[in-house]
Amino acid sequence: MRLRNIPYAKEKLANHPELVILDGSVHKGAWHEVFGNSNPIAIEIGMGKGRFVIEMAKAHPAINFIGIERFDSVLVRALERGLEDPQCPPNLRFLHLDAELLTDNFADAEVTSVYLNFSDPWPKKRHAKRRLTAPQFLSRYQQILMADGYVCQKTDNMHLFESSLLSVNNYGMELLMVSLDLHNSDFEGNIMTEYEEKFAAKGQPIYRLEAKFAAK
């Protein structure tokens, strides 16, 4: 799907430093100063229009949430959602970043959880290394996560989910939760993304996994 360019995106993002971080590297190891507290930090990689990360920040005020998006024309939609929300929470920030640069923007053990929601499945075998649960990304998550931190993935794509389960297992991670039909499970507190709501309305099962790394 072609990403529609939004001409004013860069300017609007730059005009809202209270919500948008354009250079996270300057906060590496000091994200608590951005939020003005020492609360745990959770990140969502590829947040899209921001519904999930905004609602998670509302539901968990004692956790700081950072929504990460590499495309400014997508990130600006999340910013607009946040600006239009009269209850936009103070424990929320948006970060303009490619996930390949995570370790340049977060210090070792600075993050408590990583959320991957409806990421690009990269279905072709030659593109497998681009999947956000590929070993090189798991290595980055392991570096920035605290000892008891975890990775959580939701997707409607069965092949991506199977690939993720295999990758997580081969990496030696411990699976804390696996659901092949999240919306018909006993899991509580689920917050849906825009994609999730659309897929669920069509009757498609939503897959979810949660896993943690072995103790450092």
Side-chain angles (χ1 to χ4, degrees):
M1 182 176 66
R2 184 182 296 275
L3 182 66
R4 186 168 68 90
N5 180 58
I6 298 178
Y8 64 81
K10 290 184 183 296
E11 181 179 2
K12 189 161 188 175
L13 294 174
N15 286 338
H16 289 281
E18 76 281 7
L19 269 178
V20 179
I21 307 295
L22 296 177
D23 181 6
S25 66
V26 299
H27 302 298
K28 181 178 179 179
W31 281 97
H32 64 282
E33 295 177 0
V34 173
F35 292 97
N37 60 55
S38 58
N39 292 342
I41 294 172
I43 64 175
E44 182 189 8
I45 300 175
M47 67 169 170
K49 296 179 181 178
R51 174 177 173 178
F52 176 84
V53 73
I54 292 172
E55 295 305 318
M56 283 289 283
K58 289 181 184 178
H60 304 281
I63 300 175
N64 298 320
F65 285 87
I66 301 174
I68 295 174
E69 179 57 56
R70 63 173 174 159
F71 297 113
D72 52 20
S73 288
V74 178
L75 178 54
V76 76
R77 293 306 189 199
L79 170 62
E80 290 171 343
R81 181 189 286 271
L83 293 174
E84 293 167 4
D85 190 333
Q87 298 179 322
C88 187
N91 57 323
L92 171 71
R93 295 294 187 279
F94 302 132
L95 175 60
H96 189 251
L97 182 70
D98 189 309
E100 292 186 353
L101 302 176
L102 277 177
T103 56
D104 293 334
N105 288 260
F106 295 95
D108 293 2
E110 193 170 19
V111 175
T112 60
S113 50
V114 175
Y115 292 92
L116 310 171
N117 294 315
F118 300 88
S119 310
D120 191 327
W122 295 104
K124 295 182 179 179
K125 188 174 181 179
R126 68 176 184 271
H127 294 152
K129 65 181 181 180
R130 299 184 183 182
R131 297 169 190 161
L132 291 180
T133 47
Q136 62 266 34
F137 283 107
L138 294 180
S139 176
R140 294 181 177 101
Y141 308 153
Q142 184 177 27
Q143 185 170 335
I144 66 173
L145 279 170
M146 300 177 67
D148 58 348
Y150 61 89
V151 176
C152 177
Q153 179 193 49
K154 286 197 292 185
T155 182
D156 67 304
N157 189 292
M158 180 183 65
H159 297 296
L160 174 61
F161 194 67
E162 290 174 344
S163 171
S164 297
L165 287 172
L166 181 62
S167 183
V168 162
N169 182 68
N170 289 344
Y171 202 86
M173 297 178 70
E174 177 187 351
L175 282 165
L176 305 175
M177 183 262 198
V178 175
S179 177
L180 302 180
D181 191 357
L182 179 63
H183 291 187
N184 288 309
S185 72
D186 59 0
F187 181 77
E188 297 180 356
N190 182 52
I191 290 178
M192 289 198 289
T193 73
E194 295 90 348
Y195 280 120
E196 183 175 356
E197 187 172 52
K198 180 178 69 174
F199 294 139
K202 295 179 179 179
Q204 295 177 236
I206 304 301
Y207 308 102
R208 185 183 191 275
L209 71 79
E210 192 172 307
K212 70 176 182 178
F213 294 96
K216 297 180 180 179

